[in-house]
Amino acid sequence: QVQLVESGGGSVQTGGSLRLSCAASGRTLSSYDIGWFRQGPGKEREFVAAIHLSGGNTYLPDFLRGRFTISRNNAENTVYLQMNSLKPEDTAVYYCAAVQSSPDYYSDSAAYYEYWGQGTQVTVSS
């Protein structure tokens, strides 16, 4: 079993940037595809980004592409979510999640992922 811990959240003003980290313990992340999700106040959990174990394939919804970037460093056992040009509507708890890697497949459904971190709060003020 892999344990995930998110960090890097905080409070920023509109237009600011944050880099979230998802670190693993218990097992190496290199066998897992990783997803980021977020849940804002009164909202359902929403897909943010995903990355395959090799880091070669990444997936983001159209409305976040260009502002958010997902990357990974398997040597550091960490996945990153770089968030730029932040908006108040990006305010949410951000979660990373892991699933055993499947070649050429990813999912934007939270139900697909097996392991979850506790989340890190991101607050964007106007």
Side-chain angles (χ1 to χ4, degrees), residues 22-69:
C22 174
S25 62
R27 282 194 176 183
T28 176
L29 272 184
S30 61
S31 299
Y32 295 87
D33 297 335
I34 303 297
W36 282 97
F37 290 78
R38 68 185 184 185
Q39 189 162 15
K43 298 181 180 179
E44 294 187 353
R45 195 162 294 194
E46 177 181 55
F47 173 72
V48 173
I51 187 167
H52 271 302
L53 62 85
S54 67
N57 293 328
T58 62
Y59 309 91
L60 292 94
D62 288 343
F63 69 93
L64 291 178
R65 198 170 292 130
R67 294 196 299 124
F68 287 19
T69 305

Side-chain angles (χ1 to χ4, degrees), residues 112-125:
Y112 176 69
Y113 293 84
E114 299 172 284
Y115 307 104
W116 290 81
Q118 294 300 306
T120 185
Q121 176 71 46
V122 171
T123 302
V124 185
S125 58

Side-chain angles (χ1 to χ4, degrees), residues 80-98:
Y80 302 99
L81 183 70
Q82 179 67 43
M83 307 186 297
N84 299 326
S85 302
L86 284 162
K87 305 174 182 180
E89 51 263 44
D90 296 318
T91 295
V93 178
Y94 284 71
Y95 301 89
C96 67

